């Protein structure tokens, strides 16, 4: 998967996937759409997702991911100078005890 250097969209929504998001995700440099919601994947969101400068949409909700959204990912949501490309970032950051602490998410599930 991580050798697909020209991959632009990866939709793995609702596939009963387990495991973690690999740190190799940063190798998918042309990725613009990443959807892994509604899967029991676990672990933390790797900071290497911040290397995906072309990423515009990321759905990471309804998973077992935990921790803090990496600053590197939030930098791509930056609306100041330089602006980031990541317009939609959704994770499990809602509720009294959110699974993911995300100050930059566009929406919390």
């Amino acid at each position: 998967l991580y050798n697909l250097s020209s991959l632009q969209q990866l939709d793995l929504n609702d596939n009963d996937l387990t495991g973690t998001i690999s740190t190799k995700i940063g190798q998918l440099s042309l990725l613009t759409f990443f959807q892994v919601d509604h899967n029991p994947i676990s672990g933390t969101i790797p900071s290497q997702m911040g290397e995906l400068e072309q990423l515009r949409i990321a759905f990471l909700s309804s998973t077992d991911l935990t921790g803090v959204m990496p600053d590197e990912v939030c930098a791509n949501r930056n609306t100041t100078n330089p602006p980031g490309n990541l317009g939609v970032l959704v994770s499990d950051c809602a509720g009294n005890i959110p699974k993911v602490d995300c100050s930059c998410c566009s929406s919390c599930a």
Side-chain angles (χ1 to χ4, degrees), residues 67-95:
V68 177
M69 185 64 68
D71 290 339
E72 294 85 351
V73 176
C74 288
N76 286 337
R77 284 267 311 137
N78 184 7
T79 57
T80 60
N81 291 327
N85 287 321
L86 188 54
V88 176
L89 176 60
V90 181
S91 73
D92 292 323
C93 51

Side-chain angles (χ1 to χ4, degrees), residues 48-66:
Q48 289 81 359
M49 275 192 66
E51 296 171 14
L52 302 175
E53 294 177 358
Q54 302 302 314
L55 190 63
R56 289 178 173 36
I57 299 170
F59 291 104
L60 308 170
S61 61
S62 300
T63 66
D64 291 327
L65 293 168
T66 59

Side-chain angles (χ1 to χ4, degrees), residues 10 14 18 20 22 26 30-31 34 38 40 54 56 65 76 78 84 87-88 91 95 99 107:
L10 184 58
D14 203 11
T18 59
T20 62
S22 172
L30 298 179
L31 199 65
F34 182 58
H38 301 280
Q54 302 302 314
R56 289 178 173 36
L65 293 168
N76 286 337
N78 184 7
V88 176
S91 73
K99 292 182 190 177
S107 181

